[in-house]
Amino acid sequence: MNLETGLKTSSYEFFPVNEMKKVLREVVVQCSERGLYFSAKWAAETLEGLPNEPVDTSEMDTSIDSSMIQESTNLDLVEYDKFLLGKSYFDVKEFDRAAYFLESCKSSKCRFLKIYSKYLAGEKRKDEESHDIMGQMNDLKTFNKEIPKLMEEMESWRNSCEMNDGFLLYIYAVMRKQLYPQDKNLKDLFLESIHSYHYNWSAWIELGECITNRDMLGNVLDRLPNTFMSLFFKLHMSVELQDFPQAFSDIAAEFPSEYVDNRFLKTKQALMYYYNRDYDFSETIFDRLLKSDPYRVDDMDIYSNILYVLEGKSAKLSILAHMCVFSDKFRAETMCVLGNYYSSKVEREKAISYFRRALQIDRNCLSAWTLMGHEYVEIKNTHAAVISYKRAVEVNPKDYRAWCALGQIYEMLKLPFYAIYYFQRSSALRPYDSRMWLRLAALYEQQCLYVEAIKGFSRALEAKDIDSTSTIYAMTKLAKLYEDYDTEQAAVIWLRLLAKDDLHEDAEERKNGHKYLAHYYKEKGNVEDCIRHTEILSNFGVQSKEDARIIVKELEDGLLLSK
């Protein structure tokens, strides 16, 4: 897919470039002032990707000054001074101290920074108390103890209609998610936050984590504001739910031409190719991203996965590892890149040690859990592998790779019904992945669940990614299963299989197909077709000739009896 082609008018509201730049500059300031650095970075990168156009600098300076000093929260000078003090403590990670000096403030901006500071202080203490990364993810001993008190305070603001600020609604939803992760109303809270303030990208990411399937996404898309942020979100979810490249391309085509070189779009394009196993294209895009941003660490764990899988890329993986260490040796992504590097050198224990370091930095690092699981499988520590993969799906229930890996482990352990469960979860996330359906169908067949097996092999054949070898395998299995249920359908599949150009002339499938069809046409009384398939059978060796003679004899006896 080329982002430069097929561009069309978007159904979402996009401002002219200069106006868009003003909006994004304001977003950077608003999010930075509240310590939402991820959202600020996203806005700044999007801003940087827009083309340069003539601009009135005096107008630009005025807009920035006004946004920094006097904005919708109407800070008076006393509160503004307290805000500056609290923010200075926040920036050096003295979170409790920041919250203390903001305690009496009433403005929504100060209230947000106070709540966020106490929340992060609780998160910091939680991490300090959590020593065993292989322990329970939601162990009560490592619970953020600040959340209940903060929630109580925010509930009082909400009940008295003092919480109509999008940022406050966002942090309220984040804490409620930690308290009640299964709450079905979470997406409504994040939607409320987004409608109140469109540009906090962190709120959009959290909303995306509440969406587990395409039906739910369709419902949410209908409720989004008519803003360019909604299109960014739609593209993000196309990758999260791992759509086909064409679906991604259709969404990308809605962006105006000024966004062709947008770093976010390019990154999502690389990830889309990666999830669809087109590693060569994904590598090419990551190469371009690194060339334009050589100190980048974001998503380099994914890039290292690609270099690990592709042949002849060990030197490139080594260079990437050195680059990441130079840029930031204490990032979880860097640890994952190093883990992949040592795994490529078959130094399993060293690889595991780096994946564990990644998890000590970020216990929610999905790549580290998944990759560590792979390493434990290699050293035959299935217990640790199962724990790693289960942690991965706790971090991200949409991670089909971890669900699939669990299915493979339980299949290897001869626990078929556990394997079926995990493959079902994986295939639900990637309903167009032929490999998942083939594995699932084979397990159904082993357990004599023949109707389910027929459905599984049929779904595999419907998948666009199925190769010729897998197609022949699935059609053969399907034909044999239908022989006991629907002889007409079995004959149809055998005929389609025999007509395939990529089926080898001496293949066993040809012999079985002609043998079945000879018997099928004999039962139908179709002498001409029966003889034709019987004669073809005689070309398959001694045993097949004997089979052919038996069929001919049965056919002759049948004809004599009918006379």
Side-chain angles (χ1 to χ4, degrees):
M1 183 200 71
N2 187 342
L3 291 178
E4 298 182 18
T5 61
L7 294 168
K8 60 186 178 183
T9 304
S10 175
S11 58
Y12 296 97
E13 180 185 15
F14 277 84
F15 303 116
V17 172
N18 283 338
E19 189 67 28
M20 181 69 78
K21 287 190 171 187
K22 288 182 184 179
V23 170
L24 291 171
R25 289 186 192 110
E26 176 78 5
V27 173
V28 174
V29 171
Q30 296 291 351
C31 291
S32 295
E33 286 185 333
R34 291 166 174 82
L36 296 172
Y37 300 124
F38 174 78
S39 293
K41 183 172 79 168
W42 181 89
E45 288 181 345
T46 304
L47 170 65
E48 188 270 340
L50 291 172
N52 293 318
E53 293 193 3
V55 63
D56 185 341
T57 55
S58 61
E59 181 183 343
M60 178 186 71
D61 292 337
T62 302
S63 67
I64 291 176
D65 289 340
S66 64
S67 71
M68 292 180 68
I69 298 174
Q70 186 69 27
E71 40 106 16
S72 60
T73 51
N74 292 320
L75 292 176
D76 60 31
L77 287 177
V78 174
E79 282 219 352
Y80 187 67
D81 291 345
K82 284 187 176 293
F83 167 77
L84 291 177
L85 178 62
K87 184 61 167 51
S88 68
Y89 290 139
F90 182 96
D91 287 342
V92 294
K93 301 189 186 317
E94 295 184 41
F95 301 123
D96 287 309
R97 202 174 178 192
Y100 175 79
F101 283 98
L102 293 167
E103 183 62 43
S104 62
C105 295
K106 301 297 183 184
S107 66
S108 59
K109 182 190 284 188
C110 289
R111 279 181 166 181
F112 174 85
L113 193 59
K114 180 192 77 171
I115 293 291
Y116 193 33
S117 296
K118 292 296 290 182
Y119 170 77
L120 290 180
E123 289 293 289
K124 184 179 178 182
R125 281 188 279 272
K126 182 182 76 172
D127 290 341
E128 289 168 353
E129 294 169 7
S130 177
H131 301 296
D132 182 12
I133 61 168
M134 300 299 279
Q136 291 293 324
M137 288 287 287
N138 297 316
D139 191 338
L140 289 177
K141 293 179 182 177
T142 60
F143 178 71
N144 185 336
K145 298 178 179 62
E146 299 295 333
I147 290 180
K149 292 180 290 184
L150 295 173
M151 285 291 291
E152 185 178 342
E153 183 174 11
M154 296 193 80
E155 289 283 4
S156 68
W157 297 343
R158 193 166 171 79
N159 292 336
S160 58
C161 300
E162 295 180 52
M163 204 169 70
N164 56 357
D165 175 83
F167 292 105
L168 281 173
L169 288 165
Y170 161 71
I171 194 62
Y172 173 76
V174 166
M175 291 191 296
R176 188 167 182 84
K177 180 182 175 183
Q178 275 210 30
L179 272 182
Y180 311 109
Q182 304 303 320
D183 187 350
K184 294 181 179 179
N185 296 321
L186 284 172
K187 64 178 181 300
D188 298 323
L189 289 174
F190 287 115
L191 275 167
E192 189 178 350
S193 168
I194 286 165
H195 274 279
S196 181
Y197 183 78
H198 297 341
Y199 310 112
N200 176 13
W201 184 242
S202 294
W204 291 92
I205 294 294
E206 291 284 356
L207 173 62
E209 290 183 2
C210 297
I211 298 170
T212 56
N213 56 61
R214 287 163 182 78
D215 290 338
M216 192 182 296
L217 175 62
N219 176 266
V220 168
L221 289 176
D222 291 338
R223 301 168 62 189
L224 294 180
N226 182 30
T227 167
F228 66 91
M229 295 294 292
S230 296
L231 186 55
F232 277 105
F233 175 73
K234 189 176 174 182
L235 190 80
H236 166 73
M237 289 308 301
S238 176
V239 176
E240 284 294 294
L241 296 177
Q242 295 168 24
D243 279 337
F244 287 121
Q246 185 57 50
F248 177 93
S249 180
D250 290 343
I251 298 170
E254 294 187 54
F255 282 86
S257 59
E258 293 88 353
Y259 290 80
V260 165
D261 293 323
N262 182 272
R263 200 174 302 168
F264 174 85
L265 267 66
K266 293 292 186 183
T267 302
K268 291 300 179 182
Q269 185 185 18
L271 293 174
M272 180 273 298
Y273 280 125
Y274 168 71
Y275 289 134
N276 283 279
R277 303 196 298 278
D278 195 338
Y279 301 125
D280 291 315
F281 272 113
S282 187
E283 179 197 12
T284 300
I285 299 167
F286 272 121
D287 284 342
R288 291 172 184 165
L289 285 167
L290 266 182
K291 187 175 181 180
S292 65
D293 187 4
Y295 298 100
R296 176 191 181 111
V297 179
D298 296 342
D299 304 304
M300 289 301 102
D301 51 336
I302 302 298
Y303 184 34
S304 72
N305 291 346
I306 295 166
L307 298 179
Y308 180 90
V309 170
L310 292 174
E311 292 185 9
K313 301 294 181 179
S314 56
K316 202 169 181 179
L317 180 56
S318 175
I319 293 169
L320 178 65
H322 281 91
M323 288 173 61
C324 289
V325 169
F326 182 81
S327 297
D328 191 343
K329 66 172 67 176
F330 298 114
R331 281 275 291 272
E333 293 93 331
T334 299
M335 297 297 119
C336 288
V337 173
L338 287 166
N340 267 337
Y341 169 70
Y342 284 108
S343 179
S344 71
K345 294 167 67 70
V346 200
E347 296 184 33
R348 304 294 181 194
E349 294 296 341
K350 205 163 188 178
I352 289 171
S353 72
Y354 277 104
F355 294 136
R356 291 181 71 93
R357 289 184 198 180
L359 293 166
Q360 287 166 350
I361 296 169
D362 178 7
R363 207 174 185 217
N364 291 322
C365 180
L366 179 62
S367 287
W369 283 119
T370 307
L371 295 170
M372 189 164 70
H374 296 345
E375 296 304 310
Y376 279 127
V377 169
E378 291 294 335
I379 63 173
K380 296 182 170 50
N381 187 342
T382 54
H383 177 70
V386 166
I387 291 175
S388 298
Y389 291 133
K390 285 187 176 179
R391 294 295 175 270
V393 298
E394 285 180 33
V395 170
N396 183 1
K398 297 193 286 286
D399 180 24
Y400 84 95
R401 283 178 170 79
W403 288 112
C404 178
L406 284 166
Q408 290 173 312
I409 289 177
Y410 283 112
E411 186 178 18
M412 181 179 66
L413 293 173
K414 310 296 184 187
L415 296 169
F417 287 102
Y418 282 93
I420 285 171
Y421 168 76
Y422 288 112
F423 283 133
Q424 283 176 333
R425 294 297 299 262
S426 180
S427 61
L429 291 167
R430 285 177 67 92
Y432 51 83
D433 191 325
S434 61
R435 299 174 305 165
M436 298 302 103
W437 288 111
L438 289 173
R439 285 183 175 276
L440 198 50
L443 282 166
Y444 283 138
E445 184 185 17
Q446 290 170 18
Q447 301 307 307
C448 302
L449 300 169
Y450 299 124
V451 174
E452 287 80 2
I454 287 172
K455 292 177 182 177
F457 286 121
S458 298
R459 289 295 296 270
L461 288 169
E462 292 170 4
K464 294 181 181 179
D465 70 337
I466 191 167
D467 58 36
S468 59
T469 302
S470 298
T471 297
I472 291 169
Y473 168 75
M475 290 182 75
T476 304
K477 285 286 190 181
L478 203 53
K480 288 181 177 179
L481 286 165
Y482 268 123
E483 286 177 5
D484 295 327
Y485 287 92
D486 187 337
T487 56
E488 298 285 340
Q489 189 63 28
V492 168
I493 295 172
W494 278 124
L495 286 168
R496 287 177 183 169
L497 183 58
L498 293 173
K500 292 187 70 63
D501 293 334
D502 47 3
L503 182 61
H504 196 273
E505 285 298 323
D506 298 327
E508 186 69 17
E509 291 84 2
R510 283 197 180 277
K511 172 187 169 182
N512 292 331
H514 288 299
K515 187 174 181 179
Y516 176 81
L517 290 167
H519 281 287
Y520 170 78
Y521 286 121
K522 180 174 88 68
E523 294 295 325
K524 290 288 185 180
N526 188 331
V527 178
E528 184 179 344
D529 284 332
C530 179
I531 291 174
R532 178 166 57 86
H533 287 286
T534 301
E535 288 175 345
I536 294 172
L537 267 177
S538 66
N539 298 321
F540 280 90
V542 177
Q543 183 61 43
S544 293
K545 287 179 180 178
E546 181 60 30
D547 293 338
R549 283 194 289 269
I550 292 169
I551 293 170
V552 170
K553 181 69 167 58
E554 290 175 349
L555 180 61
E556 290 173 345
D557 291 345
L559 289 173
L560 287 170
L561 286 172
S562 66
K563 290 178 179 178

